[in-house]
Amino acid sequence: MNAITKTDLSAIDPEDIGTNPTNGPTFEEIVEARLSRRSLFKAGVGTASTALLGSMALAACGGGGDGTPAPAPTPAPTPAPTPAPAGITLSFNPVAKSLADVVSVPAGYTASVMYRLGDPLATGVAAYANDGTDAAATYAQRAGDHFDGMEYFGMNASGQYDRNSSTRGLLVMNHEAITPAYLHPTGQTIVAGVRTVADEVLKEFFVHGVSVVEVNRSGAGAWSYNQGSTFNRRVHTLTEIDLSGPARGNAAMVTKFSPTGTRTRGTVNNCAHGYTPWHTYLACEENWAGYFRRVAATDNPNRSAKEVASFTRYGVAGTGRELWATVTPDTATDLYGRWRAEVTGATATDDYRNVANTYGWCVEIDPFNPTSVPKKRTAMGRKAQEGAWLGPVVAGQPLVWYMGDDSQNEYIYKYVSNAVWDPADATRGVAAGDKYLDDGKLYAARFNADGTGTWLELRFGTNNITAAYAGYAFADQTDVLINARHAADAAGATRMDRPEWAGVNPANGEIYVTLTNNSSRTFTNTDPANPRYYDNVATNGTITRGNRNGHVIRMAESAGVGGTAMRWDVYLFGARANAPASTNISQLTANNDFSSPDGLWFSNATPGLLWLQTDDGAYTDVTNCMMLAAVPGRVGDGGARTITNTNTAVTPNTTATQGSFVGTAATDSNLRRFLVGPSNCEITGITESPDGTAIFVNIQHPGEATVPLADFATNTFTSYWPYSSDASAIADTTVLANRRRPRSATVVITKNGGGKVAV
């Protein structure tokens, strides 16, 4: 792992920097936040304001720059509060916060490791050595790294989709990124900024992407994966993928690999996910921009003003976060040079100047057809695509997917199909995707101070999205989709505190989105939907300011999924339990306090049961990342309230107040901590068996704080999970002597004696 320098932005994920040119943080602030949070991946701090809340949270809205009180908003008309669905009772005792290197679950539950980094996916592939010596080519048939969003697809004995099968299924999951220190004998080999061992880079190509793996439950109730299943598959950075929808064949998609602009190679940095009612999987490309080499100082003179504006808005600049483009000599198929997004030839068919335009999309994969070609669905818009979550599926009505753009000050989107749902399409695979995902309308959300909101259509010729827009001169609708961020800027969408996962409550159709944090919120630039500015005080007295702990916003469509009006509030605020009431607005206790909500998922087996997962660096002085179970209410079940923000960064202190809508406070009965992960991990990715008796949860990058390569001399790491929590491994003196390297993995959680999880 290279040390971060102050000359190369590519060493830091775009989500931590932000490319929305409004009140962004300084580079020094980002470096400090990143190094203080975690060594290898994702940083970020939050900042400022007051907000609109909902059931379980209280809200705050942005204060004025002069510290004078802002007028309280007039609450929008809302329906009478509706109680949580009858019969949902959280039946477990809360798990305590913990810094232990184990997965902690409630008494009466068992968490079993099922599928790990490097596990073989085909007969004849050797067991994982886990010492950096496994041959690079074998990783094309092994589990990838950094397990993230995933979906369970039930399967019958004939190998077809079965929505009720809780004994056999296909588990499809993203492999977001890598912890390179553990993949190679002593980390990456880098000499003077150049990758000198091609096989190391080839290994990294394979461990990104997506796994499709068959899983089975035995008669005794234990889950395992089937190494020899013909359904097992890896989609990675070398997989050929079709470009589908409006951008297919566009001049901006032309590369040396695809002179017609109809194909690309690979998918990368797949974070959260989505699925379709025809039982395919959507892998979503999040921090793709940082992988490409594009040195602006030398490439910009060869670019048009529009190209530079596009690169700048998406953060395509630098030497590339893993330096993949630096390997020489290259192959005849440009295995390494295809990561160089620079002008090097006479035309676009001679180089990869446009390759970055072929990333940032939702990628549809058919898990039931291992030979099918994945498709990047360009009608859904290009962004740092966190995920795409399906809304209500009703015959005769359009389909909708809700999406977050995971970077500071980015937007919440929805995509609505022009075709209305025909249940006969449920068996058509990706052909159904051609019908619903290649033709639709894209919207970005604007949140008003009175608790209403508007979905702004991102369509050429409307909402300021024209050739005359100062930020980017749009040419046509395809240009709008390729540059969706610019379009949302032009339309005036609301800049959010890093939109992460979304989910739709099957009990009432309301939409929830996690906003994990935002280091560029300040005392003066908060707004109703992103309202807090406060001091986050660590146990050692260190203070970081802003909305460091994040919040969850929720929305209710006012005129169906195809409408443009909605209502909203803030459902829940993250905070330390001992924080002041002005910060701990949701009144969290030691049993449910948390920071930086990231993963969010609603159970289908128990409609109305919500799961929240964290990816945190602001509370890790007290606890590892966690997962909580919740029983939410609905939009409008709280009331209006005045919130006070205090700016302690100046002398004397200043305060600002703003009215907001506030939900009911969290209690131990409607929000409880269910799981705490091992050291340095992120909890991300959750799905369930259809009967609700098993949940699958991903543990990402345990031990990633191990950076100095000298640690390999003594095999001393900051985590040894999953070995640290495996009774047989702990008893094995060989394992202890080898101090085995930590591995991302999927755990299966079941209730002892059977029954639905959590209720």
Side-chain angles (χ1 to χ4, degrees):
M1 175 72 183
N2 283 345
I4 300 171
T5 68
K6 295 197 176 185
T7 59
D8 185 13
L9 286 168
S10 64
I12 300 178
D13 285 329
E15 67 188 32
D16 301 326
I17 303 168
T19 57
N20 198 334
T22 304
N23 298 322
T26 66
F27 184 78
E28 288 72 17
E29 289 170 338
I30 294 300
V31 171
E32 180 181 0
R34 185 179 194 267
L35 293 176
S36 65
R37 178 176 178 182
R38 299 193 310 207
S39 302
L40 302 177
F41 200 63
K42 291 185 180 177
V45 285
T47 50
S49 147
T50 34
L52 300 175
L53 271 75
S55 152
M56 268 184 112
L58 310 177
C61 298
D66 61 359
T68 58
T74 301
T78 57
T82 299
I88 296 183
T89 301
L90 300 179
S91 62
F92 61 91
N93 290 325
V95 172
K97 295 186 287 287
S98 172
L99 292 171
D101 191 28
V102 298
V103 172
S104 301
V105 293
Y109 287 84
T110 298
S112 303
V113 178
M114 184 186 68
Y115 181 59
R116 304 160 298 178
L117 161 66
D119 278 346
L121 284 173
T123 302
V125 179
Y128 192 48
N130 196 26
D131 60 4
T133 64
D134 299 277
T138 70
Y139 281 82
Q141 295 179 311
R142 295 187 184 277
D145 203 356
H146 283 214
F147 292 30
D148 211 295
M150 63 178 167
E151 191 72 27
Y152 176 93
F153 296 88
M155 184 168 63
N156 62 22
S158 300
Q160 298 173 323
Y161 174 77
D162 181 351
R163 63 177 298 177
N164 297 314
S165 177
S166 293
T167 58
R168 184 190 188 201
L170 297 178
L171 199 62
V172 190
M173 73 180 68
N174 291 337
H175 297 291
E176 181 180 12
I178 59 175
T179 305
Y182 298 133
L183 289 176
H184 313 301
T186 56
Q188 293 173 329
T189 305
I190 301 174
V191 178
V194 173
R195 299 294 297 274
T196 58
V197 180
D199 268 7
E200 289 181 1
V201 175
L202 183 61
K203 185 183 299 185
E204 294 171 15
F205 287 167
F206 287 132
V207 295
H208 285 77
V210 179
S211 283
V212 180
V213 57
E214 181 179 335
V215 295
N216 307 97
R217 186 174 70 182
S218 69
W223 285 87
S224 61
Y225 84 95
N226 180 358
Q227 177 179 339
S229 173
T230 58
F231 290 95
N232 291 350
R233 180 185 188 185
R234 285 297 319 284
V235 176
H236 45 69
T237 64
L238 303 182
T239 303
E240 291 194 14
I241 298 178
D242 278 341
L243 298 171
S244 187
R248 176 180 173 85
N250 187 272
M253 313 300 272
V254 169
T255 63
K256 183 179 178 182
F257 172 75
S258 180
T260 59
T262 58
R263 271 203 167 187
T264 189
R265 275 180 292 183
T267 184
V268 74
N269 210 261
N270 307 95
C271 194
H273 74 295
Y275 64 93
T276 71
W278 50 93
H279 323 309
T280 61
Y281 182 83
L282 296 176
C284 299
E285 299 174 325
E286 187 200 17
N287 284 321
W288 50 271
Y291 287 84
F292 294 100
R293 178 183 181 88
R294 196 187 79 84
V295 180
T298 55
D299 191 52
N300 279 2
N302 299 318
R303 300 292 192 160
S304 68
K306 281 187 60 173
E307 287 178 304
V308 171
S310 181
F311 285 133
T312 301
R313 190 64 182 84
Y314 282 91
V316 183
T319 58
R321 60 182 283 173
E322 306 299 348
L323 300 174
W324 287 344
T326 65
V327 177
T328 57
D330 206 347
T331 66
T333 58
D334 303 309
L335 197 62
Y336 310 105
R338 51 80 48 120
W339 295 98
R340 186 177 178 185
E342 297 178 319
V343 175
T344 61
T347 70
T349 61
D350 299 318
D351 56 31
Y352 293 91
R353 67 185 69 181
N354 292 330
V355 68
N357 293 333
T358 70
Y359 283 77
W361 307 100
C362 295
V363 186
E364 186 178 9
I365 299 169
D366 186 349
F368 294 93
N369 185 355
T371 63
S372 62
V373 177
K375 293 189 175 186
K376 296 197 179 187
R377 298 296 185 181
T378 64
M380 301 179 80
R382 174 171 164 264
K383 37 198 171 310
Q385 188 69 61
E386 178 65 33
W389 290 273
L390 181 66
V393 178
V394 180
Q397 294 187 17
L399 298 175
V400 60
W401 283 263
Y402 298 93
M403 302 171 285
D405 185 347
D406 184 10
S407 192
Q408 293 185 140
N409 301 307
E410 294 303 339
Y411 307 112
I412 295 171
Y413 297 80
K414 76 172 180 179
Y415 169 84
V416 181
S417 67
N418 284 329
V420 298
W421 175 240
D422 180 354
D425 290 329
T427 59
R428 295 183 59 227
V430 292
D434 296 342
K435 176 179 179 180
Y436 297 99
L437 297 180
D438 284 350
D439 182 21
K441 297 181 177 66
L442 184 64
Y443 300 85
R446 182 172 65 202
F447 298 94
N448 303 321
D450 64 354
T452 65
T454 303
W455 290 107
L456 304 164
E457 186 177 358
L458 305 185
R459 180 165 56 89
F460 183 66
T462 66
N463 290 326
N464 198 35
I465 305 170
T466 67
Y469 171 59
Y472 184 86
F474 295 97
D476 51 29
Q477 183 60 19
T478 299
D479 201 4
V480 169
L481 297 171
I482 295 173
N483 290 281
R485 282 183 170 179
H486 275 301
D489 291 343
T494 301
R495 296 172 172 85
M496 307 299 291
D497 285 350
R498 279 188 56 191
E500 290 271 1
W501 290 48
V504 179
N505 187 348
N508 58 23
E510 294 184 350
I511 309 101
Y512 289 62
V513 181
T514 52
L515 303 168
T516 189
N517 52 56
N518 185 351
S519 65
S520 67
R521 289 287 171 197
T522 67
F523 184 69
T524 58
N525 77 353
T526 58
D527 61 62
N530 306 275
R532 286 190 303 171
Y533 177 87
Y534 56 92
D535 293 347
N536 177 68
V537 184
T539 51
N540 65 1
T542 299
I543 297 175
T544 52
R545 295 181 174 89
N547 182 18
R548 289 254 21 212
N549 306 122
H551 59 290
V552 182
I553 199 167
R554 63 184 176 179
M555 298 160 279
E557 298 280 13
S558 299
V561 299
T564 59
M566 50 97 161
R567 296 177 292 107
W568 69 276
D569 61 20
V570 175
Y571 162 66
L572 188 64
F573 280 117
R576 297 171 184 256
N578 63 354
S582 58
T583 298
N584 186 11
I585 300 172
S586 296
Q587 300 176 31
L588 303 177
T589 70
N591 290 330
N592 57 25
D593 60 339
F594 69 94
S595 176
S596 295
D598 191 330
L600 181 151
W601 184 81
F602 278 98
S603 169
N604 287 307
T606 308
L609 175 64
L610 171 64
W611 294 96
L612 291 170
Q613 300 172 316
T614 69
D615 176 18
D616 184 39
Y619 203 12
T620 48
D621 56 313
V622 171
T623 182
N624 298 334
C625 287
M626 64 182 69
M627 185 170 77
L628 304 97
V631 183
R634 67 182 307 148
V635 173
D637 60 9
R641 166 178 167 180
T642 298
I643 305 298
T644 300
N645 285 322
T646 302
N647 187 359
T648 62
V650 299
T651 303
N653 294 350
T654 58
T655 62
T657 61
Q658 187 164 358
S660 184
F661 296 97
V662 178
T664 56
T667 66
D668 290 351
S669 65
N670 61 21
L671 180 69
R672 294 182 190 175
R673 188 177 302 107
F674 182 84
L675 176 151
V676 178
S679 300
N680 311 141
C681 81
E682 171 187 349
I683 306 298
T684 181
I686 176 174
T687 188
E688 67 184 349
S689 60
D691 62 7
T693 62
I695 60 172
F696 304 88
V697 177
N698 281 336
I699 311 297
Q700 187 182 113
H701 60 63
E704 75 160 0
T706 298
V707 176
L709 300 187
D711 288 351
F712 289 99
T714 58
N715 285 328
T716 301
F717 313 125
T718 56
S719 172
Y720 301 98
W721 191 87
Y723 307 101
S724 57
S725 58
D726 183 331
S728 62
I730 292 172
D732 185 341
T733 56
T734 301
V735 170
L736 290 178
N738 291 340
R739 305 294 276 179
R740 300 301 297 269
R741 301 179 181 199
R743 298 160 74 177
S744 294
T746 302
V747 298
V748 186
I749 302 171
T750 55
K751 183 183 291 187
N752 300 345
K756 288 186 177 182
V757 174
V759 295

